[in-house]
Amino acid sequence: MPIRFATPADSRAILDIYARYIDTTITFEYTLPALEEFTARIVAVTTFYPYLVYEEDGRILGYAYAHRFMERAAYQWGAEWSAYLAPAATGKGLGKKFYAVLAGILALQGVRTVYGIVTIPNEKSQALHQSLGFTQAGYYRNAGYKNGTWCDVAWFEKTIGDYAAAPAPVVPAHSLPADRIRAVLESL
């Protein structure tokens, strides 16, 4: 499976994929970020969390990443994730593969719970989260206004670690042993 860690050099291809979502309610962003800003976002995420791309025949067809769930120290064992696909990559199980790899890396980092935030309605994303064993944890009515309408948001959650003992701090993805990361990337 050609899933690998993203680099700043991938920013243009990733931004091109994201651009097709700007006019939808899948993202609550109104305007497409400039390339420099988007590159800075990728760099910021990769200082601690995984940011992945799917590349086929030298072309990036999708990306997925995780980031801290909330900023206070006690939240460090939770991560929120997202995935975006080019039209040529939808309906082929890539979302499931991205999330399997992200869950594997996040678990190695010490994350215990992952969260997915879905604008409602989005049947494909809702079905994907449910098929991966997520449960709906919350529902925010009229959480955002976009494209002339108020949009609801559902929060999904899934446990990927245990809660039996006091946890060690979550570690940066780039500090994990290369062989363990490679095993996760090759596990598909």
Side-chain angles (χ1 to χ4, degrees):
M1 196 60 181
I3 293 177
R4 63 170 174 80
F5 281 93
T7 70
D10 298 320
S11 297
R12 169 50 62 198
I14 295 169
L15 184 60
D16 288 347
I17 292 169
Y18 185 59
R20 71 179 290 264
Y21 293 92
I22 287 295
D23 292 332
T24 74
T25 56
I26 290 172
T27 179
F28 276 9
E29 205 155 9
Y30 282 2
T31 58
L32 188 66
L35 179 60
E36 298 76 24
E37 177 186 346
F38 202 75
T39 302
R41 291 180 188 183
I42 292 169
V43 170
V45 167
T46 59
T47 62
F48 203 88
Y49 291 95
Y51 204 121
L52 307 171
V53 294
Y54 170 82
E55 188 173 11
E56 189 174 274
D57 298 325
R59 189 169 152 229
I60 293 174
L61 295 177
Y63 69 97
Y65 64 94
H67 61 85
R68 191 170 175 147
F69 168 61
M70 291 194 180
E71 289 307 310
R72 302 285 189 252
Y75 289 117
Q76 70 182 284
W77 296 278
E80 179 187 336
W81 61 15
S82 298
Y84 294 88
L85 304 176
T90 61
K92 298 178 179 179
L94 183 55
K96 284 185 178 185
K97 291 172 184 169
F98 265 139
Y99 285 157
V101 172
L102 280 174
I105 295 169
L106 291 169
L108 290 174
Q109 288 182 259
V111 170
R112 300 300 201 276
T113 307
V114 289
Y115 300 92
I117 301 169
V118 179
T119 306
I120 304 300
N122 184 337
E123 292 82 12
K124 288 181 180 180
S125 188
Q126 289 171 272
L128 173 63
H129 283 85
Q130 291 166 344
S131 75
L132 294 170
F134 279 75
T135 57
Q136 188 171 322
Y139 195 90
Y140 297 149
R141 288 174 174 44
N142 302 314
Y145 183 81
K146 188 164 180 195
N147 296 343
T149 189
W150 287 101
C151 302
D152 297 343
V153 173
W155 284 70
F156 291 87
E157 67 181 5
K158 180 179 180 177
T159 299
I160 62 169
D162 74 48
Y163 302 94
V170 175
V171 299
H174 61 78
S175 72
L176 296 169
D179 62 324
R180 295 188 76 191
I181 293 290
R182 190 171 31 262
V184 172
L185 289 171
E186 294 173 355
S187 66
L188 300 177

